[in-house]
Amino acid sequence: MKILIATLASSIFAFSPIAKAAQKPTIVLVHGAFEDSQVWGHVTPKLEADGYKVVVVDLPGRPSNPMAPDKVSLDLYRDTVVKVLGTTKGPAVVVGHSFGGIVISAAAERVPKKVKTLVYLAAYLPQDGDSLVSMAQKDADAKIGPHLQIQKEKGIASIEYSSRADLFANGGPEALRQAIPDLILDEPLAPLATPVKVTAANFGKVDKVYIHTALDQVISPSFQAQMVATTPVRTEYTLQTGHTPFLTDPNGLADAIERAAQ
């Protein structure tokens, strides 16, 4: 009888709301180039309110995680994410925005068993040997190219100030368009040109989801579709936003991330 009661209790607990919440994977959020972790400020509370543990990554080389540009590398970005994954309980859902797609791909290659799903948010979805530079050169419909400023002597890339609102806040409210130029950061140069190394045996076996941004000026919708055609994903979602849905549609983005996490 005691065994029967224990079995029933275990079964009831397994289907209880508490158990279901405990089964939700950790969500790791990785920002892109010219950004830091503050971009997730409106999305994180929504995910946490729905029962997810959220870990927000600050990549090295920006004010929130300072480091000289010449010390920053793609390997360091990868290892920063890998270190975070080493602290999560069970495989995590790892979201990468823009250039963050390359970073999370490199991390999944290193520790594929620590990743439940890779979620590419308006992100570069690379093949072996791709870099941000090589992929951006293939994106004929992107609008960012003429406004990208390379400062080799400082080891940084920056975005022309006057173009930032149109590139990163198109479709957003006027208050955001006025604020966003001062929120865009300089980016260490070397990681942008470094080829990523991924294999079919590791990265290729990790579950993938893509969140498209239909009004994107930075990574064009046509190139997003091209990347998914080349590297198929389990499912796709589309937000009617530009490149920064965490600012212009945080609720819609949080919902898409949660659906991808299931």
Side-chain angles (χ1 to χ4, degrees):
M1 180 61 71
K2 289 183 178 179
I3 294 175
L4 177 59
I5 292 172
T7 301
L8 288 172
S10 298
S11 299
I12 292 169
F13 177 75
F15 290 99
S16 71
I18 295 174
K20 289 182 179 180
Q23 292 170 2
K24 290 184 176 181
T26 298
I27 297 177
V28 177
L29 302 175
V30 182
H31 63 78
F34 311 109
E35 305 166 350
D36 62 14
S37 65
Q38 295 183 73
V39 299
W40 304 110
H42 298 298
V43 175
T44 299
K46 167 65 174 172
L47 297 174
E48 291 177 335
D50 290 339
Y52 290 92
K53 179 180 179 181
V54 180
V55 181
V56 180
V57 176
D58 257 317
L59 298 176
R62 51 216 77 235
S64 48
N65 189 359
M67 182 175 289
D70 63 347
K71 303 298 183 183
V72 179
S73 66
L74 180 59
D75 284 354
L76 181 59
Y77 285 171
R78 175 202 65 201
D79 292 345
T80 300
V81 177
V82 168
K83 184 177 180 179
V84 168
L85 291 173
T87 68
T88 62
K89 183 177 180 180
V93 173
V94 187
V95 183
H97 176 243
S98 196
F99 172 61
I102 292 177
V103 177
I104 67 172
S105 299
E109 173 65 23
R110 179 58 61 93
V111 287
K113 292 183 179 179
K114 290 295 295 180
V115 180
K116 178 182 185 293
T117 301
L118 293 173
V119 180
Y120 292 84
L121 169 61
Y124 289 108
L125 174 53
Q127 294 187 298
D128 184 50
D130 282 337
S131 68
L132 178 144
V133 171
S134 71
M135 299 185 81
Q137 289 174 343
K138 299 175 184 177
D139 189 355
D141 295 325
K143 308 299 183 186
I144 193 172
H147 307 288
L148 186 63
Q149 301 173 331
I150 306 299
Q151 302 179 49
K152 291 184 178 180
E153 70 284 356
K154 295 182 179 181
I156 60 173
S158 61
I159 304 296
E160 181 184 1
Y161 190 86
S162 63
S163 70
R164 293 177 180 181
D166 287 338
L167 288 171
F168 292 93
N170 61 309
E174 186 58 31
L176 175 61
R177 289 177 55 82
Q178 292 181 6
I180 204 165
D182 292 322
L183 302 177
I184 302 297
L185 306 175
D186 294 336
E187 181 71 20
L189 191 56
L192 306 182
T194 303
V196 67
K197 301 298 182 184
V198 293
T199 64
N202 292 342
F203 168 73
K205 293 182 179 179
V206 177
D207 183 54
K208 302 173 184 68
V209 171
Y210 202 99
I211 302 176
H212 297 263
T213 40
L215 307 178
D216 208 311
Q217 302 290 301
V218 177
I219 302 178
S220 71
S222 60
F223 192 64
Q224 292 179 28
Q226 180 181 330
M227 288 186 289
V228 171
T230 303
T231 305
V233 300
R234 168 170 54 88
T235 192
E236 303 171 58
Y237 305 105
T238 299
L239 301 174
Q240 296 300 316
T241 72
H243 196 59
T244 56
F246 34 72
L247 300 177
T248 56
D249 186 16
N251 288 336
L253 174 56
D255 180 64
I257 291 173
E258 290 182 15
R259 285 186 286 161
Q262 294 175 0

